[in-house]
Amino acid sequence: MIEVKNLVKNYGRQTALDGVTFSVKDGEILGFLGPNGAGKSTTMNIITGYISATDGTVLIDGIDILEEPQKAKSKIGYLPEIPPVYGDMTVESYLKFMFDIKKLTLPKKEHILEVSKLVGVDKVSDRLIKHLSKGYRQRVGFAQALLGNPPVLILDEPTVGLDPNQIIEMRNLIRKLGKKHTIILSSHVLSEVQATCDRIVVINKGKIVADDMKDSMTSRAADNKIVAVIEGREQGVISAIRNVSGVLNVRKTGEPERGCGEYMIECKEGVDIRRALFKTMATQSMPILMLHRDEYSLEDIFIKLTQGEGGDK
Amino acid sequence: MGAIFKRDFTSYFNSAIGYITMAVFFFFSGLYFYTTCLYTKTSDMYYVFQSMFLVIMFVIPLFTMKLFSEERKQKTDQALLTSPISITRIVIGKYLSAIAMFAICLLIFIVFEIILAFIATPSVGVIFGNILGLLLLGSSLISIGIFVSSLTESQAVAALVTFAIEFVINILDSFASTVSNDFLKNLLLAFSFRTRYNNFALGLINFADVIFYLSVTALFLFLTIRVIDKRRWS
């Protein structure tokens, strides 16, 4: 659906993007992740035709954004970082205006009402946008992007400025829309992409540093480690754990509660020791209070991928 | 294009700027009309129209200052430029909204002419020439104002720079008379907005004058389109 090939963008001598290549399949939700200033917005602005690339191509459904901009743009709904809303207009008149400049042919009133209800701005439709809160402006911007049901949605940090309830609402909405639309969503909030996206592309300093499915990315980085909080004397616990087959190494990493230790257990590749561990500790009457696999979170991966390249920005 | 026109035109009336600008225009045109026509009991509008150059110099920057600068500042240009609408249509839509505001201002002259009709029989040809000239002059200055507005994110800067350019245009004739080099002098005079406008103020409609103002309008609208398009590449 979206084909981004070798994008280069120079601002004078500064290189904002340096050979960004990725593609998004039909109906996929792609998370575009990177620290501030990594080139997320630049990439999105190029995909939507707001700015032009120094080099490289963008194809939307096979249409080049530079060669047939109007045709390509009509397939995209774009919510920029700052919602492009006019403060001096009411929500309804703004949506009508956007409906007109998008040259849509759907039944106007019904469609605007439908979109307003979907993002939850139908109750403020006669209010001036400048009187709305940040969250509502964001929704109005989102409504604008949804007008005409474009097959592609580009959302630049859609949850910035929203309160926790609104963030959850927004995520659910994006998930729901993902069934009918191809979505690119950018964020520097890692849990957000983790919660909403099928696939994650990580960008740093204008380059793609990782392009992978979310699950394979997290499990690739995870070593076979287990973290357990166990009640009992340290020495007894450690020797008991060592007796479980498949355990390579144990060490105490902390003491979250009095009389309890947190232990990091390394086991053999591909061996799941959790059941055996449970039984062993039960017979020793050393209760396990908590047990989980120490998978790397996206945060860890992100830090791993984006560090060690200077960090001079 | 129609949608852009409608939005920008109604937005003049969403804030005080549209009303204030019109009030200023009506006040000063009324003042000139009173002092030069009614007070001296003449139906000759030449001096009124000649003075209108000065009045619209103040009014036009207020109409054009926000057209593009505010879009950039509020980032609403992102919605316009990522919509399936060409830059040309955006620029023309905005131009039409400003010229429509200006045309509404000019309607006051119809009232003046009706008042004058009680004093003397008006010459429809002269009235038409007067108003057409002012409209054409306004059109060229509006396109310059729009061009300036596309260069900055600040409304105030746009208004001031537009005013400065209009000021230079206004004094071009007197400046040209101080130039001793004949070629330079004639060159400057060829671009004189005032000389051409004075023809209209007398009620003379020269085809060349009409073409001159239309060309200036087209040139600056074209430059505006180029500026916006160019920004995407830099």
Side-chain angles (χ1 to χ4, degrees), chain A residues 7 19-20 49 63 86 127 149 164 185 229 244 268 287 303:
Chain A
L7 281 192
V20 169
I63 303 160
Y86 294 93
R127 285 180 56 185
N149 298 317
L185 175 154
V229 176
V244 178
K268 278 186 195 152
I303 289 164

Side-chain angles (χ1 to χ4, degrees), chain B residues 42-109:
Chain B
T42 162
S43 69
D44 184 2
M45 289 279 275
Y46 174 70
Y47 290 105
V48 177
F49 275 95
Q50 208 199 21
S51 311
M52 286 319 292
F53 198 126
L54 190 69
V55 176
I56 70 169
M57 271 172 58
F58 286 95
V59 168
I60 281 176
L62 297 175
F63 283 154
T64 59
M65 61 182 183
K66 72 174 186 121
L67 286 176
F68 280 103
S69 61
E70 197 63 8
E71 297 271 1
R72 258 177 90 200
K73 195 173 175 191
Q74 305 294 341
K75 310 269 185 208
T76 44
D77 62 335
Q78 285 196 309
L80 298 185
L81 296 176
T82 58
S83 294
I85 175 171
S86 69
I87 298 173
T88 309
R89 280 167 185 272
I90 297 172
V91 172
I92 291 176
K94 285 183 177 290
Y95 163 76
L96 289 177
S97 72
I99 202 87
M101 278 303 285
F102 186 61
I104 290 175
C105 287
L106 297 191
L107 290 178
I108 195 75
F109 286 104

Side-chain angles (χ1 to χ4, degrees), chain A:
Chain A
M1 196 67 184
I2 308 168
E3 207 58 68
V4 175
K5 276 185 223 146
N6 213 12
L7 281 192
V8 177
K9 178 74 182 174
N10 297 325
Y11 290 110
R13 274 190 200 165
Q14 238 185 354
T15 305
L17 294 182
D18 189 5
V20 169
T21 302
F22 64 92
S23 63
V24 193
K25 283 192 274 286
D26 229 338
E28 198 172 33
I29 306 181
L30 180 93
F32 207 49
L33 193 63
N36 293 324
K40 297 186 300 268
S41 294
T42 306
T43 308
M44 294 188 139
N45 280 335
I46 292 172
I47 294 174
T48 54
Y50 178 58
I51 55 173
S52 303
T54 313
D55 199 11
T57 51
V58 174
L59 300 178
I60 308 290
D61 206 5
I63 303 160
D64 193 310
I65 189 87
L66 279 183
E67 275 164 23
E68 291 178 86
Q70 301 199 21
K71 213 171 153 192
K73 282 173 186 175
S74 66
K75 290 181 180 292
I76 304 175
Y78 182 32
L79 171 61
E81 206 171 346
I82 296 158
V85 293
Y86 294 93
D88 63 352
M89 293 177 105
T90 65
V91 173
E92 195 187 0
S93 59
Y94 171 69
L95 291 177
K96 277 184 180 161
F97 167 67
M98 290 308 295
F99 185 97
D100 288 342
I101 69 166
K102 287 182 186 220
K103 299 172 186 164
L104 302 177
T105 48
L106 298 157
K108 194 169 174 179
K109 251 194 171 150
E110 289 82 356
H111 183 59
I112 288 175
L113 189 69
E114 183 192 318
V115 169
S116 303
K117 276 190 177 154
L118 188 65
V119 300
V121 293
D122 51 318
K123 296 211 170 61
V124 292
S125 64
D126 54 352
R127 285 180 56 185
L128 284 180
I129 295 176
K130 67 178 165 196
H131 294 149
L132 296 179
S133 67
K134 171 83 175 89
Y136 269 106
R137 280 183 209 197
Q138 190 79 13
R139 290 181 200 208
V140 175
F142 200 19
Q144 164 275 127
L146 289 173
L147 285 177
N149 298 317
V152 173
L153 284 177
I154 312 276
L155 311 172
D156 197 349
E157 313 228 343
T159 57
V160 164
L162 303 185
D163 67 39
N165 283 331
Q166 293 171 328
I167 289 178
I168 291 166
E169 265 176 50
M170 183 65 102
R171 278 182 192 164
N172 290 340
L173 182 57
I174 292 169
R175 271 251 156 247
K176 201 164 113 193
L177 290 167
K179 287 174 188 139
K180 281 194 282 179
H181 305 256
T182 305
I183 301 177
I184 300 183
L185 175 154
S186 87
S187 182
H188 63 269
V189 183
L190 307 132
S191 55
E192 177 165 303
V193 260
Q194 221 165 7
T196 39
C197 301
D198 303 324
R199 207 180 104 207
I200 294 166
V201 166
V202 184
I203 184 170
N204 190 38
K205 290 183 190 155
K207 281 182 183 160
I208 300 279
V209 289
D211 180 350
D212 215 335
M213 293 298 288
K214 185 172 57 176
D215 296 337
S216 59
M217 209 161 127
T218 40
S219 62
R220 180 186 64 189
D223 296 315
N224 224 356
K225 283 181 185 162
I226 281 175
V227 177
V229 176
I230 298 168
E231 198 178 321
R233 292 171 64 92
E234 190 182 341
Q235 246 123 38
V237 172
I238 287 182
S239 65
I241 293 172
R242 278 191 205 281
N243 284 335
V244 178
S245 72
V247 172
L248 293 175
N249 199 8
V250 189
R251 86 193 139 84
K252 193 178 175 187
T253 49
E255 201 172 317
E257 284 171 56
R258 224 176 135 206
C260 300
E262 189 189 74
Y263 301 91
M264 167 75 83
I265 310 165
E266 260 179 75
C267 18
K268 278 186 195 152
E269 201 72 38
V271 180
D272 190 352
I273 63 153
R274 286 175 299 176
R275 287 165 198 85
L277 183 69
F278 170 77
K279 282 175 186 153
T280 312
M281 301 322 281
T283 52
Q284 302 276 337
S285 61
M286 293 169 178
I288 298 175
L289 303 182
M290 196 184 84
L291 180 67
H292 68 87
R293 274 191 161 145
D294 185 33
E295 285 193 344
Y296 280 118
S297 69
L298 212 50
E299 274 88 345
D300 299 320
I301 299 166
F302 187 69
I303 289 164
K304 250 185 171 175
L305 288 168
T306 55
Q307 267 180 356
E309 289 168 45
D312 56 334
K313 216 175 179 181

